[in-house]
Amino acid sequence: MNIFIGSKEECDLKGAQEIVNQIKNKPNTVLGLATGSTPIDMYGNLIKKYKAGEVSFAKVKTFNLDEYLGISRDHPCSYYNFMQENLFKHIDIPQDSVHLPNGEAADPEEECKNYEKLIEGSGGIDLQVLGIGHNGHIGFNEPGTPFGSVTQVVDLTESTINANSRFFDSPDQVPRQALSMGIKTIMQARRILLFAYGADKAEIIKEALKGPVTPEVPASVLQLHPDVSVFLDHEAASRL
Ligand code: PGA
């Protein structure tokens, strides 16, 4: 595991550069992408690099980690909308190359199976971007999720609902379930970039990177992955 510690700006730039290098080496890269506050400025750097002519996403495919169950793509808080606003609409990626689980699928279980098949059919994820929840979740894999899990319907914990309520008008409006890649799906990515910023992530970063590998801290599974790069600002790294 490679751990880079710097300012948030340095992490956002270095992370974006890793992704650009990956796409230059393999123009038809399959990217796994994340939502949340953490990757927004890193995505901003990808947009800048695209506009500066440093990279093209024309052959890239993307698979997002997760989507809320029961809200439409057009909902302002859907992860589909988040990705459009923060990345996709600003770059040259074809719309049919971007994938998120469909939160409005008539049969969510079937949707999860199909999503997993779609990832496999694309050749698997070359590079997965991850943030980390305060409880150690990656994607929406909350503590206790088995390491063997694949894309599935998950229940969100109170802590996740409260953390995500800042994007909604009130906690009541946060969906209680989501469709999420499983831990195994994430671990099958060939490379993983994990980003964490701020003092409020310091304790969970210590547990995930230095503590025991346990489903109680889902991100601790990353200690078992052969190619993980972690980007931490000084605050998030302060307990290491
Ligand atoms: P955040 O969320 O980037 O908004 O802190 C991270 C996560 O919950 O995975």
Side-chain angles (χ1 to χ4, degrees):
M1 184 178 281
N2 261 317
I3 303 181
F4 173 80
I5 301 171
S7 66
K8 178 177 182 300
E9 290 71 26
E10 287 167 335
C11 293
D12 289 331
L13 259 182
K14 222 172 143 54
Q17 193 58 50
E18 290 280 339
I19 294 175
V20 167
N21 293 346
Q22 164 71 36
I23 297 171
K24 281 187 177 158
N25 285 335
K26 187 181 175 207
N28 62 345
T29 285
V30 179
L31 288 179
L33 297 176
T35 52
S37 307
T38 304
I40 292 179
D41 294 334
M42 191 275 284
Y43 291 155
N45 289 331
L46 289 181
I47 296 166
K48 281 188 201 140
K49 286 173 183 292
Y50 161 70
K51 290 191 170 157
E54 284 179 48
V55 64
S56 166
F57 295 82
K59 296 189 176 147
V60 169
K61 282 201 180 99
T62 68
F63 287 90
N64 263 78
L65 285 166
D66 44 21
E67 178 60 282
Y68 289 116
L69 183 60
I71 61 175
S72 75
R73 274 176 150 200
D74 309 327
H75 190 290
C77 295
S78 76
Y79 285 169
Y80 177 86
N81 187 54
F82 176 100
M83 290 307 303
Q84 292 297 332
E85 293 301 318
N86 289 294
L87 183 61
F88 298 149
K89 79 176 190 190
H90 307 285
I91 59 174
D92 63 342
I93 192 158
Q95 280 301 313
D96 59 1
S97 298
V98 311
H99 304 92
L100 289 92
N102 176 6
E104 285 194 303
D107 184 342
E109 310 287 346
E110 196 57 30
E111 170 67 13
C112 291
K113 282 190 197 137
N114 288 340
Y115 199 67
E116 195 73 27
K117 276 192 208 137
L118 215 53
I119 295 173
E120 267 172 46
S122 74
I125 292 170
D126 291 303
L127 186 154
Q128 175 70 54
V129 173
L130 291 180
I132 181 171
H134 296 105
N135 61 5
H137 75 200
I138 47 177
F140 270 135
N141 296 290
E142 303 284 30
T145 307
F147 285 167
S149 53
V150 294
T151 305
Q152 61 180 343
V153 178
V154 296
D155 296 326
L156 306 187
T157 59
E158 274 315 300
S159 110
T160 298
I161 291 166
N162 288 333
N164 290 8
S165 65
R166 68 191 193 276
F167 299 111
F168 291 79
D169 290 336
S170 76
D172 300 351
Q173 293 181 6
V174 184
R176 267 39 189 174
Q177 288 188 306
L179 313 178
S180 178
M181 282 187 200
I183 301 279
K184 185 173 164 195
T185 324
I186 293 170
M187 287 294 280
Q188 282 170 339
R190 294 177 189 95
R191 290 177 68 194
I192 295 179
L193 309 187
L194 170 72
F195 297 84
Y197 302 134
D200 57 320
K201 295 282 172 77
E203 181 58 33
I204 194 64
I205 279 294
K206 184 181 86 175
E207 282 183 47
L209 305 189
K210 303 291 180 194
V213 175
T214 163
E216 291 314 313
V217 182
S220 67
V221 75
L222 300 174
Q223 295 179 37
L224 305 178
H225 191 284
D227 192 351
V228 178
S229 299
V230 185
F231 299 86
L232 304 174
D233 67 3
H234 296 288
E235 291 74 17
S238 60
R239 304 283 315 265
L240 288 181

